[in-house]
Amino acid sequence: MALPPLSEIPPTVASVDDYEGLARERLDAGSWAYLTAGAGDESTVAENRSGFARWQLRTRVLRNLSGGSTAIDLFGTRLAAPILLAPVAFQKLAHPDGELAAAVAASALQAGMVVSTQASVAIEDIAAAASTPLWFQLYIQHDRDFTRALVARAEAAGYAAIVVTVDAPTSGRRDAEQRAGFAFPPGIEAVNLRGLAPPPRAAADALLLGTPLLDAAPRWEDLAWLRTLTRLPILVKGIMDGDDARRAVAAGIDGIIVSNHGGRTLDSQPATIAALPEIVAAVGGQVPVLVDGGIRSGTDIFKTLALGARAVLVGRPFVYGLAAAGAVGVAHVLRILRAELEVAMALTGCPTLAAIDTDALRRCS
Ligand SMILES: Cc1cc2nc3c(=O)[nH]c(=O)nc-3n(C[C@H](O)[C@H](O)[C@H](O)COP(=O)(O)O)c2cc1C
Ligand SMILES: CCCCCCC(=O)C(=O)O
């Protein structure tokens, strides 16, 4: 699949928020709810956004801005900017080309892409559509042999890193999705989990606790087990606590992703930008720390980098681009974010990623 020219996008589309409006017009109510909803009354979703407003940028003038760049090497993957597409399940809900379109866009913009275990396209086909190495997001399944086979498939298909998500042993209660009556349309399913037998039946009166699903939920020992399965770098996604970060590093993982799953799993959590400093301090530079949640602009990205993140992932922003205009929409979203980041870097006097630190921020009272 070739990337259509960006000139196809109307010049009035200037920001990620513009894409949100376009996506909403194009999607049915159920798909919109699945792709955008958060848990409960969505206070975590709101916090992820409002957390960024607690920091402002400190402009610095007349500095030498020559030779600047946003390029970065992460786990052997060269990125044009510290921006990756977050793992997002069932992308065919947003556009018929689904994950294939996202992979084409990520390759064209030299951005990272993390492919979900719950992708709606085979992970081998997504890797084949990309011209840059992708990372594979792993949900450890109740059937560990099936999990082992998934990791082997990802390695064989050329994925360059494993991102193990640890914050969703169960789905969140997304009330907005329930109210919208969301159901998967025919033809959209987790194709990479075909052949996985369901967990044994729960007792009739069991809701979640005490069910075989939760009994088999991943534990710390599983990180050590995963380490034995693959030589690929392993990142742990879904860390919101400094002690958990330290424990993950001690288990031999290679990177941390500070994330509350975009507010989709548990309501009433702090913003990821609020949790980031504690986790950066706990990790103490031993492994790279990445972050996602609520990032909608280049200034948001800048703030995370200033607080110690090495790179960011974006979820809903690229889903909006995908729904609005397929691969070209995703590519445009990535370009907007990078362009906004570069302006923020230039006007704060930080021509390189290494130059960005907390001196570039002001804490709002
Ligand atoms: C529709 C949707 C599906 C998602 N599916 C996954 C998934 O399969 N695996 C995962 O680790 N995270 C998943 N996430 C969470 C994202 O990877 C990411 O943490 C979150 O979207 C970041 O917040 P943002 O949407 O505000 O950028 C999903 C998010 C959305 C919006
Ligand atoms: C048991 C967790 C399933 C999560 C499926 C996809 C996801 O992460 C999300 O929708 O968010």
Side-chain angles (χ1 to χ4, degrees), residues 16-283:
V16 167
D17 288 349
D18 292 338
Y19 270 107
E20 179 174 355
L22 291 177
R24 184 154 209 169
E25 283 168 17
R26 281 164 175 71
L27 290 172
D28 63 85
S31 297
W32 173 258
Y34 175 74
L35 292 168
T36 64
D41 65 11
E42 305 193 329
S43 73
T44 309
V45 176
E47 274 295 309
N48 276 350
R49 287 295 305 127
S50 60
F52 286 103
R54 293 183 199 122
W55 296 98
Q56 291 178 335
L57 306 188
R58 184 184 295 273
T59 55
R60 298 299 302 270
V61 299
L62 298 174
R63 286 190 175 174
N64 178 0
L65 299 176
S66 63
S69 168
T70 56
I72 180 172
D73 283 307
L74 264 183
F75 304 109
T77 305
R78 178 82 174 162
L79 305 178
I83 306 172
L84 299 96
L85 304 184
V88 166
F90 307 114
Q91 292 177 28
K92 279 191 174 180
L93 285 171
H95 189 278
D97 296 334
E99 289 82 357
L100 297 177
V104 166
S107 297
L109 275 282
Q110 223 190 329
M113 174 171 174
V114 188
V115 174
S116 170
T117 288
Q118 311 257 22
S120 49
V121 176
I123 61 172
E124 292 80 3
D125 294 344
I126 304 169
S131 53
T132 51
L134 308 177
W135 299 358
F136 177 66
Q137 179 267 323
L138 177 71
Y139 275 126
I140 295 177
Q141 304 296 319
H142 60 275
D143 179 339
R144 298 298 195 266
D145 288 337
F146 193 96
T147 308
R148 184 199 314 270
L150 264 181
V151 173
R153 275 178 66 188
E155 276 199 70
Y159 284 80
I162 302 291
V163 173
V164 58
T165 298
V166 294
D167 62 3
T170 180
S171 285
R173 292 178 59 82
R174 292 191 289 270
D175 299 349
E177 200 179 297
Q178 188 176 336
R179 290 185 197 112
F182 171 70
F184 281 102
I188 301 187
E189 56 164 317
V191 292
N192 297 293
L193 296 182
R194 279 184 190 154
L196 175 68
R201 256 177 192 283
D205 62 342
L207 296 178
L208 175 62
L209 300 174
T211 60
L213 179 72
L214 221 59
D215 292 349
R219 305 174 186 189
W220 285 106
E221 302 86 273
D222 289 295
L223 281 191
W225 168 73
L226 186 58
R227 187 67 287 172
T228 67
L229 292 190
T230 179
R231 296 170 71 149
L232 293 178
I234 299 173
L235 293 88
V236 177
K237 174 173 181 281
I239 297 291
M240 287 291 286
D241 174 88
D243 284 337
D244 279 353
R246 269 188 284 271
R247 195 161 176 186
V249 173
I253 61 88
D254 304 287
I256 299 277
I257 303 180
V258 177
S259 176
N260 55 28
H261 216 102
R264 288 169 68 79
T265 49
L266 183 63
D267 211 4
S268 210
Q269 290 193 66
T272 50
I273 185 99
L276 178 62
E278 170 184 328
I279 293 161
V280 167
V283 169

